Amino acid sequence: MNPLNHIAIIMDGNGRWGLKNRKSRNAGHKAGLKSVENIIKASIKKNIKFLTLYAFSTENWRRPKKEINYLFKLLENFLSKKTLQLHKQNIKLKIIGKKSFSTKLNKLLKFAEKKTSSNKKLQINLALNYGSKSELINAIKSLVKQKGKINEKNLTKYLETKDIPDPDILIRTGNTTRLSNFLLWQLAYSEIFFEKKLWPDFNQDDFNKIIQKYKFTKRNYGGV
Ligand code: FPP
């Protein structure tokens, strides 16, 4: 049976869910947050150590301002209400991506990361303003600047995920089969599960079924 430490998720389909339910795209994001909470609970039950959630990409700035503002408000409210609760549950929150948001959001993120930094039960990596290509470019620049030998081990030290094992599983919901500039280096040998359901419809059963399937997958890492 395969060991399982890290699950990464591209939470796609919020906008379509909102429109399909005769509401707005933003209503889809609100419903998507409920799924986030359910999947955190399921991860704890399954004793997963790392959960990485793609919440906002460097390309998502191309969306209408109203939608961007709504997403960040949702995140602000989530952090204001839930940081201490996450802390009590022994959950660590880490942001990957460039932290350049409003002063209020920057403060909330900083507080949440600091407050939860020693927690051990589950680490949630929230990918926010994250893009894998720019992460790799920055890592290469730093490695060259430090005059380090260019090899896999050294490059990994400069990635935002430097203390995090590579994902065992990537899940993408929303019936779309692409990686969207997410963890391109780290996903080299992850098992990928594309899920037809839209993110707000994705539930703990769906999550557990994927885990079950993963556990009995033969992982070859290029061997036989
Ligand atoms: C992709 O769906 C989803 C996002 C860009 C945002 C993800 C945000 C959440 C799940 C809610 C907030 C989360 C936190 C942690 C506060 P999409 O809008 O691209 O869907 P579409 O493909 O139907 O347009």
Side-chain angles (χ1 to χ4, degrees), residues 39-75:
I39 295 309
I40 293 175
K41 279 185 202 143
S43 301
I44 292 171
K45 281 188 215 155
K46 289 284 175 194
N47 206 20
I48 309 290
K49 289 294 159 202
F50 298 89
L51 177 69
T52 300
L53 301 172
Y54 204 7
F56 197 85
S57 75
T58 43
E59 288 74 30
N60 286 150
W61 293 108
R62 295 180 194 144
R63 294 187 175 212
K65 206 158 174 29
K66 203 172 144 205
E67 183 169 337
I68 296 175
N69 289 343
Y70 186 85
L71 272 168
F72 288 125
K73 251 299 152 269
L74 209 57
L75 180 58

Side-chain angles (χ1 to χ4, degrees), residues 11-17 25 29 32-33 36 53-56 60 63 67 71 74-75 78 126 198-199:
M11 310 180 286
D12 194 18
N14 289 349
R16 278 170 285 159
W17 187 95
R25 288 183 54 82
H29 292 308
L33 186 54
V36 169
L53 301 172
Y54 204 7
F56 197 85
N60 286 150
R63 294 187 175 212
E67 183 169 337
L71 272 168
L74 209 57
L75 180 58
F78 176 79
L126 202 56
L198 304 173
W199 175 248

Side-chain angles (χ1 to χ4, degrees), residues 103-221:
T103 318
K104 183 174 177 193
L105 184 54
N106 281 340
K107 259 193 194 159
L108 286 165
L109 291 170
K110 214 170 156 186
F111 174 76
E113 280 196 299
K114 196 164 171 213
K115 184 83 192 163
T116 64
S117 62
S118 313
N119 292 342
K120 297 276 182 280
K121 179 73 194 154
L122 165 71
Q123 176 168 333
I124 300 173
N125 307 305
L126 202 56
L128 263 188
N129 196 15
Y130 173 86
S132 187
K133 287 189 176 179
S134 85
E135 177 193 30
L136 282 165
I137 298 281
N138 289 336
I140 293 164
K141 279 186 184 163
S142 304
L143 183 51
V144 169
K145 203 169 160 192
Q146 298 302 316
K147 299 192 183 354
K149 188 159 184 252
I150 296 182
N151 57 31
E152 278 186 31
K153 193 165 165 247
N154 284 345
L155 186 72
T156 306
K157 285 186 203 153
Y158 292 96
L159 295 175
E160 305 219 25
T161 52
K162 66 176 156 51
D163 298 317
I164 304 168
D166 287 343
D168 300 298
I169 294 179
L170 169 74
I171 301 170
R172 179 174 188 140
T173 58
N175 202 19
T176 306
T177 50
R178 56 176 170 253
L179 293 179
S180 301
N181 201 14
F182 186 49
L183 302 175
L184 301 177
W185 174 279
Q186 297 86 339
L187 292 174
Y189 274 105
S190 308
E191 300 297 325
I192 301 183
F193 295 83
F194 292 112
E195 166 72 44
K196 285 201 168 59
K197 279 191 181 180
L198 304 173
W199 175 248
D201 290 328
F202 187 74
N203 59 36
Q204 296 197 11
D205 274 352
D206 302 317
F207 186 72
N208 292 339
K209 273 184 199 148
I210 289 175
I211 292 177
Q212 204 51 27
K213 204 165 167 197
Y214 159 83
K215 285 202 166 154
F216 298 98
T217 299
K218 191 161 179 276
R219 300 187 83 186
N220 286 339
Y221 298 96

Side-chain angles (χ1 to χ4, degrees), residues 73-101:
K73 251 299 152 269
L74 209 57
L75 180 58
E76 275 180 18
N77 288 342
F78 176 79
L79 292 167
S80 306
K81 283 197 205 136
K82 304 281 174 162
T83 295
L84 292 179
Q85 206 173 305
L86 293 175
H87 180 55
K88 273 194 200 133
Q89 291 172 278
N90 202 11
I91 294 174
K92 173 174 174 174
L93 191 70
K94 180 181 164 60
I95 307 304
I96 59 168
K98 200 153 180 272
K99 272 178 264 176
S100 49
F101 309 104

Side-chain angles (χ1 to χ4, degrees), residues 1-19:
M1 210 158 64
N2 294 317
L4 176 56
N5 278 311
H6 185 175
I7 299 184
I9 309 184
I10 302 177
M11 310 180 286
D12 194 18
N14 289 349
R16 278 170 285 159
W17 187 95
L19 300 178

